[in-house]
Amino acid sequence: MKKVALFLTLMFMTMSYAQETKQIPQISVSGEGKVKVAPDQAIILATIETKGSNAKDVKKQNDQKMDAVLKFIKKMNIPTADFKTKQVALNPQYDYEKKKHNYNATQTVEISLKDLTKYDELMEGLVDQGINRIDGVTFESSKLAQHESEARKLAIKDAKSKAEDYVSVLGQKVGKAIVISDNSQGYRPQPMYAAMKSMAMDSAGAASNETLAIGEIEIVSNVSVSFILE
């Protein structure tokens, strides 16, 4: 009797499990949303590099140049919150031919330029004040969160549109979304490098100060969505 009861119990559990694991008709698709916008601000990494045989003199010269650079940035009416020292280094370098040490001092300042009309004047002034290395210029949008939200919505719309295309030939409809996965890698603006140059002369001898083409930045969102089929 106990064996029969145990058998019936196991059979009931198996039937219940089978009912619970009954598959729900669904479709899984990916979607992508892209938003292209013109950047309205830039992050500039500018470095002063000084070399010499005396560590103290090299550091002093480097500090004096950076002091002039920081004063110039302030004269450009860039808020103090928008520029900061990013890196300071003083390293010995051994000259094997002359068998003596030289020293290399570097200081890097990061500038957040929120008015791109000042770009050319700022870059030329930085060079005049002693900057001898531009490590990078990255163009960004001040409305990044808004554009990311728009890209996510476009990605969901793209996923649903794909799902509807697939099931349209089957006589079925796309129902509610049951799983949404964000596969975005996170927005990382591509660096665009600008050459340091003074006012150039065109073929007619006229001054020209066009130093960069800003173009557009692309904000991308990727999602995976599973929809119930009705």
Side-chain angles (χ1 to χ4, degrees):
M1 185 68 179
K2 290 183 178 180
K3 291 183 178 180
V4 174
L6 179 61
F7 173 76
L8 291 174
T9 300
L10 290 173
M11 185 173 66
F12 176 75
M13 291 175 63
T14 303
M15 291 175 63
S16 299
Y17 179 77
Q19 290 176 352
E20 290 176 0
T21 58
K22 183 180 179 182
Q23 291 188 349
I24 300 173
Q26 59 183 272
I27 181 173
S28 297
V29 293
S30 61
E32 183 175 79
K34 292 183 180 180
V35 176
K36 293 183 178 181
V37 296
D40 58 5
Q41 60 187 31
I43 304 297
I44 301 167
L45 290 175
T47 298
I48 292 176
E49 184 173 14
T50 307
K51 297 180 180 181
S53 58
N54 184 283
K56 185 176 180 180
D57 291 342
V58 168
K59 182 181 183 304
K60 183 177 180 181
Q61 292 174 27
N62 202 266
D63 289 344
Q64 289 173 342
K65 293 176 183 177
M66 183 53 73
D67 180 62
V69 166
L70 295 177
K71 287 178 179 176
F72 166 72
I73 294 172
K74 291 178 182 178
K75 286 181 65 176
M76 290 287 296
N77 293 320
I78 296 175
T80 55
D82 291 344
F83 63 93
K84 61 184 178 182
T85 299
K86 189 72 174 178
Q87 184 179 15
V88 178
L90 177 62
N91 300 308
Q93 295 179 332
Y94 189 71
D95 188 332
Y96 288 94
E97 291 184 2
K98 297 181 180 180
K99 296 183 179 180
K100 68 174 185 178
H101 278 96
N102 289 320
Y103 295 88
N104 184 38
T106 59
Q107 289 192 58
T108 300
V109 60
E110 181 182 271
I111 308 164
S112 178
L113 183 62
K114 296 179 180 178
D115 181 359
L116 292 182
T117 62
K118 294 182 178 181
Y119 178 85
D120 286 308
E121 183 181 356
L122 175 64
M123 295 295 276
E124 291 174 8
L126 290 174
V127 175
D128 291 341
Q129 296 301 325
I131 290 293
N132 50 18
R133 205 174 80 204
I134 298 295
D135 293 328
V137 180
T138 304
F139 295 97
E140 300 179 345
S141 170
S142 61
K143 298 179 180 179
L144 178 60
Q146 175 183 328
H147 298 316
E148 285 180 329
S149 176
E150 184 179 351
R152 285 191 289 267
K153 292 175 183 177
L154 291 174
I156 291 293
K157 289 180 180 179
D158 182 48
K160 187 175 182 181
S161 178
K162 286 181 181 178
E164 290 172 342
D165 285 343
Y166 286 130
V167 304
S168 62
V169 296
L170 302 175
Q172 294 176 288
K173 293 183 179 180
V174 175
K176 295 181 178 180
I178 53 176
V179 178
I180 299 176
S181 299
D182 187 349
N183 302 325
S184 303
Q185 299 300 310
Y187 171 64
R188 292 291 183 274
Q190 294 298 312
M192 300 174 67
Y193 298 99
M196 295 186 297
K197 68 177 183 178
S198 300
M199 302 288 284
M201 304 298 289
D202 60 21
S203 57
S208 173
N209 64 347
E210 294 183 3
T211 59
L212 77 164
I214 296 175
E216 294 179 326
I217 54 177
E218 189 175 78
I219 300 165
V220 182
S221 178
N222 290 283
V223 297
S224 295
V225 187
S226 294
F227 296 97
I228 293 176
L229 293 181
E230 297 176 348

